[in-house]
């Protein structure tokens, strides 16, 4: 049991540079997997409608030799890749039934178009898949494809997934690695107040800039989207190129935002033992007037990355109830809407305390998190915790 607890999975994503022949083979593999996925989905639906029978992944994997006999092109696809298609579909159905049981919006598995099926997986790759020279990765039935190892890959290789993003190809290596040692204690705790003016503000008075990546790219994106809208023929090459330009701009924005989130999360985890932030309903907030700004700043992704890095580093991240943190005076505890004189200024109407509104909120968030820590009888290392909602006090 101790050995299992000391092992974790880590994914390494690298860019591939296939030749034209290899790119054609990758495209063909994706198309065949997409057709197989849709065929298996139709088989499951038909079996249930006609005979009331629910097929399993194992049932469908047993029929793969018959598929290869009837359709010779499938002989050019690795057998385990085809088996993984059945497992992927089975996972979709299990998620569907789980959501029904939980009373959530179910979302029945859908047929996938070519644009919506963009990856395939080798579930049991060779440990020597990355060639010794570090410049190629071996993909069965495709060959040695050039790879850019921008960071070292370590651990026991568990799965190898090939993914297409636009016209670019990537490989994701999921490896079993020893769990990292916790970072040394710093004795520092911090509360962070996120927003749209500043990305976040700490209880120490540090302000992190909101780079507004989507807003910066909005002009180019608007031009590209208008160009796409002027090409109604969905089968034309000009429309495909225009669509790719839009997708490329969106990918660049998302990657820039992701990089910022990783950098800021790493900085917070390195410098503090305890990080407290608001437990925001980001999805609900994104349906209001500030939806575009909230989607641009990406709080949900940032909190998820922060929690993941904390678990790896042995730090603690606590999500506290956000209510009244921006209206409560951190000195006397007086809570009133009028305390927030403006977006940037806080002035308590009871004791007269004056401070930057975001810093005051961050200090309230930290105090609430520390109260929660003090009340807990059993301490859990490096977990993302949610205390019970606090009152006005």
């Amino acid at each position: 049991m101790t050995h299992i607890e000391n092992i974790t999975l880590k994914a390494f994503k690298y860019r591939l540079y296939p030749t034209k022949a290899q790119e054609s083979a990758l495209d063909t593999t994706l198309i065949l997997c997409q057709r197989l996925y849709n065929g298996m989905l139709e088989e499951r639906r038909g079996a249930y409608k006609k005979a009331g029978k629910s097929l399993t992944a194992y049932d469908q994997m047993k029929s793969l030799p018959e598929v290869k006999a009837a359709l010779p092109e499938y002989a050019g696809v690795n057998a385990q890749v085809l088996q993984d298609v059945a497992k992927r579909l089975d996972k979709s159905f299990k998620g569907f039934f789980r959501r029904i049981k939980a009373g959530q919006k179910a979302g029945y598995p859908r047929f996938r178009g070519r644009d919506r099926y963009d990856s395939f997986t080798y579930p049991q790759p060779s440990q020597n898949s990355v060639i010794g020279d570090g410049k190629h990765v071996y993909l069965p039935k495709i060959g040695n494809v050039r790879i850019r190892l921008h960071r070292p890959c370590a651990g026991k290789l568990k799965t190898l997934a090939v993914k297409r993003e636009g016209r670019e190809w990537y490989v994701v290596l999921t490896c079993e690695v020893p769990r990292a040692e916790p970072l040394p204690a710093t004795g520092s705790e911090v509360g962070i107040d996120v927003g749209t003016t500043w990305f976040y503000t700490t209880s120490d008075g540090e302000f992190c800039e909101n780079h507004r990546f989507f807003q910066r790219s909005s002009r180019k994106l608007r031009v590209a989207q208008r160009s796409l809208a002027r090409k109604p023929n969905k089968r034309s090459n000009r429309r495909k190129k225009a669509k790719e330009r839009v997708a490329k701009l969106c990918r660049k924005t998302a990657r820039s935002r992701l990089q910022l989130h990783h950098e800021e999360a790493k900085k917070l985890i390195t410098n503090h033992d305890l990080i407290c932030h608001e437990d925001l309903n980001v999805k609900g907030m994104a349906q209001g007037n500030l939806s575009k700004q909230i989607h641009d700043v990406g709080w949900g992704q940032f909190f998820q990355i922060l929690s993941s890095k904390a678990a790896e580093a042995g730090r603690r991240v606590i999500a506290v109830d956000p209510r009244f943190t921006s209206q409560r005076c951190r000195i006397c505890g007086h809570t009133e809407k009028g305390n927030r004189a403006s977006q940037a200024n806080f002035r308590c109407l009871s004791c007269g305390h004056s401070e930057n509104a975001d810093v005051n909120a961050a200090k309230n968030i930290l105090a609430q998190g520390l109260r929660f820590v003090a009340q807990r009888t059993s301490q859990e290392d490096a977990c993302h915790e949610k205390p019970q909602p606090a009152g006005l006090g």
Side-chain angles (χ1 to χ4, degrees):
M1 182 64 70
T2 304
H3 173 71
I4 295 175
E5 290 176 352
N6 291 332
I7 297 296
T8 186
L9 293 177
K10 192 169 185 178
F12 300 87
K13 184 178 179 180
Y14 303 105
R15 175 82 182 271
L16 292 178
Y17 295 90
T19 63
K20 288 186 177 180
Q22 290 171 341
E23 188 170 359
S24 176
L26 290 170
D27 277 322
T28 301
T29 302
L30 266 186
I31 292 171
L32 292 176
C33 288
Q34 174 249 342
R35 290 176 181 172
L36 181 63
Y37 182 94
N38 290 341
M40 287 182 168
L41 176 55
E42 179 61 32
E43 184 183 22
R44 284 204 179 206
R45 293 177 62 179
Y48 188 79
K49 285 180 180 178
K50 294 176 182 178
K53 180 182 178 183
S54 295
L55 297 178
T56 65
Y58 181 69
D59 293 331
Q60 295 190 303
M61 283 191 283
K62 286 195 298 184
S63 64
L64 286 176
E66 299 174 11
V67 173
K68 287 187 175 182
L71 302 170
E73 60 267 28
Y74 279 94
V77 182
N78 182 265
Q80 290 189 357
V81 170
L82 298 178
Q83 292 173 2
D84 186 73
V85 175
K87 294 177 184 177
R88 181 185 294 194
L89 178 61
D90 191 61
K91 185 178 179 181
S92 297
F93 271 97
K94 286 180 179 177
F96 168 69
F97 291 121
R98 184 190 69 247
R99 290 188 293 272
I100 287 181
K101 197 178 225 181
Q104 302 171 350
K105 186 176 179 181
Y108 189 81
R110 297 182 297 176
F111 293 104
R112 302 287 188 91
R114 289 190 182 183
D115 294 339
R116 295 189 177 275
Y117 199 99
D118 55 9
S119 67
F120 60 90
T121 303
Y122 297 93
Q124 294 178 341
S126 167
Q127 295 302 312
N128 299 319
S129 293
V130 179
I131 309 302
D133 61 1
K135 295 182 180 179
H136 295 85
V137 59
Y138 175 68
L139 305 179
K141 298 287 187 177
I142 294 173
N144 294 329
V145 182
R146 195 165 150 238
I147 187 175
R148 183 183 177 189
L149 287 173
H150 61 276
R151 60 170 176 163
C153 175
K156 181 181 179 182
L157 186 59
K158 301 296 288 184
T159 64
L160 187 156
V162 179
K163 182 175 175 61
R164 181 183 62 195
E165 294 183 5
R167 296 185 179 181
E168 299 173 355
W169 291 91
Y170 293 86
V171 64
V172 180
L173 308 177
T174 304
C175 300
E176 201 176 62
V177 298
R179 193 177 295 276
E181 292 294 327
L183 293 177
T186 63
S188 174
E189 298 104 3
V190 70
I192 59 173
D193 177 65
V194 295
T196 55
T197 304
W198 297 96
F199 177 40
Y200 68 77
T201 305
T202 70
S203 54
D204 297 331
E206 179 186 353
F207 295 84
C208 178
E209 181 184 356
N210 179 12
H211 292 271
R212 296 179 172 86
F213 295 108
F214 177 78
Q215 185 177 327
R216 288 183 179 183
S217 64
S218 60
R219 185 177 178 277
K220 290 182 179 179
L221 185 60
R222 185 166 60 248
V223 172
Q225 287 174 329
R226 286 175 178 173
S227 175
L228 175 63
R230 289 194 295 267
K231 300 172 177 61
N233 184 2
K234 294 187 177 181
R235 296 186 178 182
S236 71
N237 288 328
R238 293 182 65 205
R239 180 181 171 86
K240 289 179 182 177
K241 290 179 181 179
K243 185 178 179 181
E244 175 56 30
R245 283 194 294 270
V246 173
K248 189 174 182 179
L249 285 170
C250 292
R251 284 198 302 272
K252 183 178 179 181
T253 301
R255 289 170 180 173
S256 300
R257 185 185 299 115
L258 181 64
Q259 182 178 353
L260 173 70
H261 290 174
H262 275 288
E263 290 174 353
E264 294 302 327
K266 183 179 180 181
K267 184 169 71 173
L268 289 169
I269 293 299
T270 303
N271 296 331
H272 307 285
D273 295 337
L274 173 68
I275 300 139
C276 306
H277 68 78
E278 300 161 284
D279 182 19
L280 297 175
N281 178 13
V282 180
K283 185 177 180 180
M285 295 174 67
Q287 296 175 359
N289 295 332
L290 296 176
S291 59
K292 191 176 290 186
Q293 292 90 327
I294 291 173
H295 282 303
D296 193 5
V297 74
W299 297 327
Q301 178 178 264
F302 174 65
F303 291 152
Q304 186 178 16
I305 292 172
L306 185 66
S307 175
S308 176
K309 288 186 181 294
E312 188 176 352
R315 303 301 201 200
R316 267 183 113 173
V317 173
I318 296 179
V320 306
D321 180 40
R323 289 178 293 177
F324 310 111
T325 52
S326 62
Q327 301 175 13
R328 184 186 303 121
C329 176
R330 71 175 182 87
I331 301 297
C332 68
H334 176 69
T335 303
E336 185 178 338
K337 188 176 181 180
N339 285 349
R340 187 143 188 177
S342 66
Q343 181 67 28
N345 299 318
F346 180 92
R347 183 175 179 80
C348 180
L349 299 178
S350 177
C351 69
H353 170 68
S354 179
E355 193 173 19
N356 179 277
D358 293 334
V359 175
N360 178 79
K363 290 180 178 179
N364 282 331
I365 292 167
L366 175 60
Q368 198 164 320
L370 290 174
R371 283 198 298 269
F372 170 70
V373 171
Q375 291 171 359
R376 284 185 65 92
T377 55
S378 62
Q379 302 294 327
E380 297 179 7
D381 294 333
C383 65
H384 189 267
E385 300 159 285
K386 293 185 181 181
Q388 295 297 321
L392 296 180

